[in-house]
Amino acid sequence: MEFLGDSAFSALVKKLKPKQNLLAVSKLQPIEKIEILHAKGQKNFAENYIQEAIEKTKVLKNLDIEWHLIGPIQKNKVKLLQNHFAYIHSVDSLELAKKISEKALEIDYIQKVFIQINLAEEATKSGLQKAEFLNQWQQFKGLKGIEVVGLMTMPPLENDAEKNRIYFKELKKLGDQLNLHELSMGTSQDYEVALEEGATWIRIGTMLFGERLKK
Ligand SMILES: *Cc1c(COP(=O)(O)O)cnc(C)c1O
């Protein structure tokens, strides 16, 4: 895939209705590509790896970018967090949420987060199982240093996006049930289906930036 065959970005933006947001996933992509996309008007960028992310926020601190963290977070890395991220999408346990909350309170910050739900109950994917999350919801809500704005999911990578529709529907239903209206779902492979099912944040990497470097 060409990097920003220009058309990719404008075509994506055209498909968005109010309340649907494009998150440009820039993990393992060079700074220059972020600068180009930002110059075209993109404000929200997402990274997976805390150290790489923090490095990029420093290098690009003069740009009005809102940074999002979407990758799994090791608990011993939470100490690195300051107010780098507008949103963290990958909170996948109550324990992690508590740590982030404590850290945020320490620096006088309210960290906005999404709770990552593993709807397909795949052993290899991170995310809380739905039942476990429902049991713990009151405890999540009680944490003072975080604000839970919504739910995130990363369904099985199927070449057939239609197969992921049931998971997007399920996340929407769970969000409605708890009055959580932000839904972070859909990647380059299946964002159209995710938008149809109520995504408010689609996370697009490859389609915007081209193939990324290997970690
Ligand atoms: C890398 C990544 C994406 C972007 O995937 P693409 O297929 O490149 O669009 C979205 N969400 C998460 C959690 C990711 O790790």
Side-chain angles (χ1 to χ4, degrees), residues 25 27 48 70 152 154 187-188 203-206 212:
V25 178
K27 65 174 175 226
N48 281 56
I70 62 172
M152 182 273 226
M154 184 84 187
T187 67
S188 297
R203 307 183 307 266
I204 309 291
T206 322
R212 48 193 161 254

Side-chain angles (χ1 to χ4, degrees), residues 75 81 86 89 211:
K75 292 185 195 76
L81 291 173
H89 295 234
E211 295 297 334

